[in-house]
Amino acid sequence: SPRVVIIGAGIVGANLADELTARGWDRVTVLDQGPLPLTGGSTSHAPGLVFQTNASKTMTEFARYTVEKFLALDVDGAWCFNQVGGLEVATTPERLTDLHRRQGWATAWGIEGRVVDPDECAALHPLLDRDRVLGGFHTPTDGLAKAFRAVVALARRAEARGARFQGSTRVTGIESSGGRVTGVRTDGGVVPADVVVSCAGFWGPAVGAMVGMAVPLLPLAHQFVWTGQVAELAGRNDELTEAGLPILRHQDRDLYYREKGDRLGIGSYAHRPMPVELGDLPEGDVTDAAMPSMLPFTEEDFAEPWEHSRQLLPSLRGTKVDSGFNGVFSFTPDGGPLIGESPDVAGFWIAEAVWVTHSAGVARSVAQLLVEGRSEIDLHGCDVARFEEVQLGAEYVRETAQQNFVEVYDVLHPLEPRRSPRDLRVSPFSARQRELGAVFLEVAGWERPHWYEANAGLLDELPAEWVPPERDDWAARHWSPIAAAEAWRTRTAVALYDMTPLKRLEVSGPGALDLLQRLTTGQMDKSVGSVTYTLALDEAAGVRSDLTVARLGEQLFQVGANGNLDLDHLRRQAPADGSVQIRDITGGTCCIGLWGPRARDLVQRVTSDDLSNAGLKYFRAKRVRIGGVPVTAMRLSYVGELGWELYTSAEHGLRLWDALWEAGQDLGVIAAGRAAFNSLRLEKGYRSWGHDMTTEHDPYEAGLGFAVRKQEGFVGSTVLAGRGEDTVRRRLCCLTVDDGRSVVLGHEPVYLDGRPAGYVTSAAFGHTVGRPIAYAWLPASAGVGTAVEIQYFDRRVRATVAAEPLVDPEMTRIRG
Ligand code: FAD
């Protein structure tokens, strides 16, 4: 097996050594700058609360594996996981409501948990002031990880399989040759390696810099205290068990609690964000009470949290804060961990910004990536390549990571807009969009209109059958009924959609065709001017992306992609001989989706090119002039209407917009936003990668078998042989909501015969069909007509599996 050096012997590094050696990679060396086993990193003082439930399925699965793994670990009979359960309490009505949503996530991802009343909260955690609590979310399988002890147990196990742990060895540089890692330089000499994985925690950016790799995390301090003896806890626990009460979260005040003997530990996010410079960390010997990851306690920041703690847990009035510190750990721009390989130095990997909670799960996935080439769990929200270049800047990381710290326990809507930084990336149409009162939400740094206030007047003209039902408070956030008017105009007249933020790549050169043939499921060897919807699979035939590939020349392809992960993947897969060039052309170009039954009437007024059905067939592309501007027109539509994606370079964008806008006035042209778009795409059954399907699903399960060519020779093809629509055990299904009005938003559990059987991926109100739509993963046995229930907060919403697509199954509209 290859020689592996792991930098960092914290909970992530130790787990990784264990997972690699369990897979037979026994030449593993773990280096740490600190002494062993107490290195002085975040793990050395981690209080170890493990709350598994998360909006993200991946994060929840990481946590579930950590629980399962640590339960089976011990050091000389002493526990590494104490399954005391978890209790999140609500002291405000808004929080209580949200606990039901959290309970829904738990159910969707297979974690048992219940929302309980104040009496049961008090019974579960007798220190609680019952009268302050409105209810709680109880998860019996949550608990306390003894992170530091788990490191010892994991290191012993890995060492027994051949791994070596070496402390007091600082890595000062990474050795490489010909773009491949060859070893690490340390203060004690060079250690040769074929693979290096940095598990350096909040030191990650410093280690990444050794290979020029941006590691977008910010070290932040976070307060933790131990109280003195709490009289009510005296005699409850012996030294070995330590704790019996559930771990507790008081999210309304940004606080959490754990028991230890007869004392309580309290963690607080209720203070100002405190970014930490690595150079300011304490130096000197590492002890329980002094280490680089522990900064002096700033008492004034804990005054209010202490008061709030004594209100929630009145027994604390009889004690005081015994000791406290400001502990250092990592925050990232989107809260996710950072996993991945350097784009420049092959064999250099990172696994950082990982909580104890997710540590075993992350390590298992990284070991799978290294040994088997693929993680069984979807990692798109963890891959460090998910960030756009502008998001890797120190300013961006600093601002967004601090915002995540502040919001860590906030009730966040799925569409919650980032407040800052904004206007990082704007399309050339931005000025016009603002004039039209665009309401922007941010994605990957882009400002993307969700609807236009200028269209509010259309609500008066809206035919009765298009008037959307009232929404509940939650579903009405970051939404407007104007979306209904925009959908109506798209289906009955014509609309402009700004598609600029969609990632666009140019793939060119003599090897371009072969590369795309190998990496995607579609037939790419078609005539110039053809456009193909295709899938990129991984080796196990999991869907790693869906792409729209236009052949613009013999050796020139334009690829519509999902994000930076596609760019990263293509670059890594491109042959080393320079026969393929891959360029991200997103920022230098722009795109208008011109869609609706009057789209052709409109465009013909501003072009002399032939855009008739004969002149440009469905799924064909050609270069034309519109309003004098050179445009690549592609005959496609995500909304299922006649029309084109019109691409031009950024400097021509405004001119193109104005030409279409002016020419379309008497045809009823409008600008339409993302809210209408999402509704229209779901009515047509168009999947959104990352939401509806990921690497965890194959094309047939996702309902994308049509995009798979029958020949062999593409990545994943051998695995797909013998599979088909009829062999799948689960399927992405289209549901419509029976009452015609209850809109759900995604990530809700779906019940079949009263039992949890799947979860919602994307959802929207279908304005054309006059009822809410939800796509959901369900067992394949749930055929068309099957009755199901969707859990929305504390309600069950009846829905039915529908035949898809709901609109225009004969494709007469789109083929115009
Ligand atoms: P670390 O434990 O920091 O390990 C990284 C190691 O890399 C260190 O030992 C360091 O010495 C070594 N290293 C760095 N640079 C070099 C170099 N150049 N050469 C050699 N070695 C190097 N998480 C939870 O899940 N639940 C909680 O309740 C919880 N509470 C927390 C409370 C506080 C106060 C804090 C600060 C954090 C808490 N966390 C919690 C977070 C958790 O502690 C960390 O996310 C986790 O321990 C990180 O583990 P790690 O292995 O990545 O990093």
Side-chain angles (χ1 to χ4, degrees):
S1 68
R3 295 163 303 178
V4 181
V5 167
I6 294 172
I7 304 170
I11 194 66
V12 177
N15 261 302
L16 182 58
D18 176 63
E19 295 287 337
L20 286 174
T21 53
R23 287 169 174 75
W25 279 24
D26 52 5
R27 298 205 288 167
V28 174
T29 306
V30 184
L31 302 176
D32 203 292
Q33 63 194 5
L36 296 182
L38 194 73
T39 65
S42 304
T43 306
S44 304
H45 58 63
L49 291 83
V50 176
F51 287 95
Q52 299 165 87
T53 304
N54 192 291
S56 148
K57 176 168 175 282
T58 292
M59 295 300 268
T60 306
E61 286 182 355
F62 283 160
R64 185 174 40 203
Y65 180 63
T66 301
V67 169
E68 179 190 313
K69 180 171 174 177
F70 285 15
L71 270 174
L73 285 181
D74 71 274
V75 173
D76 308 326
W79 59 269
C80 291
F81 196 80
N82 187 351
Q83 203 156 37
V84 290
L87 182 64
E88 306 183 343
V89 292
T91 58
T92 59
E94 190 198 17
R95 180 71 57 181
L96 182 61
T97 304
D98 199 55
L99 292 183
H100 288 283
R101 188 170 64 122
R102 298 179 66 77
Q103 195 272 336
W105 296 339
T107 307
W109 317 142
I111 302 282
E112 189 201 331
R114 280 187 315 127
V115 175
V116 297
D117 66 16
D119 286 331
E120 205 167 339
C121 288
L124 285 161
H125 204 300
L127 300 193
L128 281 169
D129 178 354
R130 187 216 163 280
D131 295 337
R132 269 189 196 275
V133 171
L134 303 179
F137 170 46
H138 179 232
T139 320
T141 52
D142 287 348
L144 282 168
K146 194 79 163 175
F148 170 60
R149 196 183 284 152
V151 167
V152 174
L154 293 164
R156 281 188 190 173
R157 194 155 80 181
E159 279 171 335
R161 299 186 193 121
R164 207 163 59 82
F165 279 67
Q166 183 178 316
S168 306
T169 308
R170 183 190 302 271
V171 171
T172 55
I174 307 297
E175 304 269 300
S176 67
S177 160
R180 261 215 81 84
V181 76
T182 57
V184 301
R185 230 173 305 134
T186 76
D187 44 13
V190 169
V191 182
D194 308 304
V195 176
V196 173
V197 189
S198 177
C199 302
F202 64 79
W203 284 275
V207 178
M210 296 174 192
V211 293
M213 181 176 183
V215 178
L217 70 77
L218 181 72
L220 282 172
H222 153 50
Q223 287 203 306
F224 193 82
V225 307
W226 293 107
T227 67
Q229 193 194 52
V230 180
E232 284 79 351
L233 293 179
R236 279 185 66 99
N237 303 301
D238 58 42
E239 206 158 309
L240 187 64
T241 16
E242 257 186 42
L245 297 179
I247 53 172
L248 181 67
R249 267 182 181 165
H250 181 19
Q251 283 152 301
D252 292 317
R253 294 294 182 189
D254 293 322
L255 292 165
Y256 64 83
Y257 306 87
R258 60 153 293 177
E259 203 185 1
K260 186 181 190 184
D262 55 10
R263 307 189 297 154
L264 277 191
I266 309 175
S268 166
Y269 293 101
H271 52 81
R272 65 203 155 93
M274 307 180 198
V276 175
E277 298 292 334
L278 292 182
D280 295 342
L281 299 176
E283 293 183 24
D285 288 346
V286 174
T287 68
D288 273 338
M291 55 178 87
S293 61
M294 283 168 100
L295 297 171
F297 187 55
T298 48
E299 214 177 319
E300 62 284 7
D301 290 306
F302 199 68
E304 238 181 86
W306 179 237
E307 211 27 61
H308 291 138
S309 297
R310 302 201 319 168
Q311 286 167 7
L312 185 75
L313 308 166
S315 332
L316 292 181
R317 293 192 182 127
T319 188
K320 54 184 182 26
V321 173
D322 181 70
S323 63
F325 60 94
N326 292 359
V328 187
F329 65 160
S330 313
F331 265 76
T332 58
D334 59 6
L338 305 174
I339 296 174
E341 190 180 12
S342 152
D344 304 313
V345 179
F348 179 87
W349 290 73
I350 64 168
E352 285 154 350
V354 179
W355 288 24
V356 171
T357 301
H358 310 111
S359 58
V362 166
R364 178 177 63 174
S365 281
V366 174
Q368 287 174 344
L369 283 171
L370 291 173
V371 178
E372 293 142 33
R374 150 180 212 275
S375 153
E376 69 189 274
I377 289 179
D378 159 42
L379 293 183
H380 83 273
C382 309
D383 193 325
V384 63
R386 69 188 179 275
F387 296 104
E388 294 287 323
E389 206 161 337
V390 71
Q391 297 176 306
L392 295 172
E395 302 80 359
Y396 183 88
V397 174
R398 221 180 140 78
E399 189 161 355
T400 54
Q402 291 189 64
Q403 191 182 335
N404 282 340
F405 177 90
V406 171
E407 292 177 348
V408 69
Y409 283 164
D410 287 2
V411 175
L412 296 177
H413 191 275
L415 290 175
E416 197 78 32
R418 187 184 281 301
R419 280 185 300 252
S420 172
R422 293 292 297 265
D423 290 332
L424 278 180
R425 308 172 87 187
V426 296
S427 83
F429 323 127
S430 174
R432 295 295 178 264
Q433 293 169 339
R434 278 166 217 269
E435 286 162 21
L436 294 170
V439 174
F440 293 97
L441 297 183
E442 180 262 8
V443 62
W446 283 104
E447 296 296 331
R448 205 162 61 165
H450 272 240
W451 66 86
Y452 294 85
E453 289 294 333
N455 294 328
L458 293 176
L459 288 171
D460 300 334
E461 299 171 33
L462 207 54
E465 66 274 21
W466 283 85
V467 174
E470 287 272 314
R471 292 190 170 206
D472 69 88
D473 235 27
W474 182 252
R477 285 190 206 176
H478 313 300
W479 182 82
S480 162
I482 293 170
E486 294 178 1
W488 169 60
R489 270 297 172 86
T490 310
R491 291 262 186 258
T492 57
V494 56
L496 305 182
Y497 286 83
D498 181 1
M499 302 300 288
T500 303
L502 269 195
K503 196 79 167 174
R504 283 176 295 287
L505 308 175
E506 184 188 273
V507 181
S508 62
L513 174 63
D514 282 352
L515 179 71
L516 293 168
Q517 280 286 63
R518 179 163 66 79
L519 294 185
T520 83
T521 58
Q523 177 53 266
M524 298 294 120
D525 194 5
K526 294 199 277 206
S527 59
V528 170
S530 61
V531 182
T532 312
Y533 174 80
T534 186
L535 307 173
L537 305 182
D538 65 19
E539 300 289 344
V543 182
R544 61 177 311 145
S545 194
D546 63 340
L547 307 167
T548 306
V549 180
R551 188 169 199 180
L552 300 179
E554 282 298 323
Q555 300 185 355
L556 176 65
F557 298 83
Q558 181 173 316
V559 178
N562 282 298
N564 219 49
L565 292 179
D566 298 306
L567 175 63
D568 182 67
H569 180 58
L570 281 173
R571 284 198 170 140
R572 287 177 192 279
Q573 295 296 321
D577 60 9
S579 62
V580 183
Q581 286 84 50
I582 296 158
R583 273 200 319 136
D584 182 349
I585 58 168
T586 316
T589 57
C590 58
C591 176
I592 295 173
L594 178 74
W595 293 316
R598 312 299 301 271
R600 185 173 283 129
D601 299 335
L602 192 162
V603 81
Q604 274 169 351
R605 296 176 175 181
V606 278
T607 187
S608 52
D609 288 291
D610 181 6
L611 289 175
S612 68
N613 266 338
L616 186 59
K617 292 198 182 73
Y618 186 52
F619 265 86
R620 297 285 300 178
K622 76 173 181 184
R623 300 202 201 269
V624 296
R625 268 184 195 271
I626 293 176
V629 164
V631 166
T632 301
M634 294 189 201
R635 177 78 195 280
L636 319 168
S637 167
Y638 279 108
V639 302
E641 292 296 329
L642 169 68
W644 305 266
E645 290 182 357
L646 304 173
Y647 295 90
T648 190
S649 56
E651 87 272 32
H652 296 130
L654 194 57
R655 170 85 203 175
L656 176 64
W657 179 282
D658 286 345
L660 295 169
W661 183 255
E662 279 152 31
Q665 283 309 305
D666 63 316
L667 298 171
V669 72
I670 59 161
R674 206 66 202 174
F677 177 93
N678 202 37
S679 160
L680 298 167
R681 81 147 175 105
L682 283 180
E683 290 182 331
K684 272 302 285 177
Y686 294 144
R687 276 75 169 139
S688 168
W689 185 85
H691 298 281
D692 298 319
M693 71 282 186
T694 67
T695 52
E696 293 181 14
H697 311 107
D698 83 17
Y700 301 113
E701 294 170 325
L704 297 170
F706 68 87
V708 178
R709 84 179 106 120
K710 296 301 164 238
Q711 302 100 317
E712 299 244 306
F714 58 89
V715 174
S717 57
T718 44
V719 180
L720 278 186
R723 289 194 203 173
E725 254 99 40
D726 310 332
T727 64
V728 301
R729 296 218 306 273
R730 55 179 180 174
R731 193 177 283 133
L732 185 63
C733 298
C734 175
L735 309 177
T736 56
V737 171
D738 296 354
D739 70 11
R741 53 187 313 119
S742 297
V743 174
V744 301
L745 298 180
H747 293 191
E748 295 88 359
V750 182
Y751 293 75
L752 191 60
D753 301 326
R755 279 189 295 277
Y759 59 91
V760 174
T761 57
S762 301
F765 187 84
H767 297 288
T768 320
V769 298
R771 54 185 48 211
I773 304 167
Y775 270 76
W777 282 100
L778 284 175
S781 58
V784 170
T786 304
V788 298
E789 289 177 314
I790 304 171
Q791 180 188 332
Y792 181 67
F793 294 90
D794 57 349
R795 288 200 295 135
R796 295 276 181 97
V797 174
R798 287 174 195 281
T800 306
V801 179
E804 56 169 334
L806 298 170
V807 168
D808 195 28
E810 296 83 22
M811 306 285 282
T812 48
R813 302 181 68 89
I814 203 166
R815 289 176 185 276

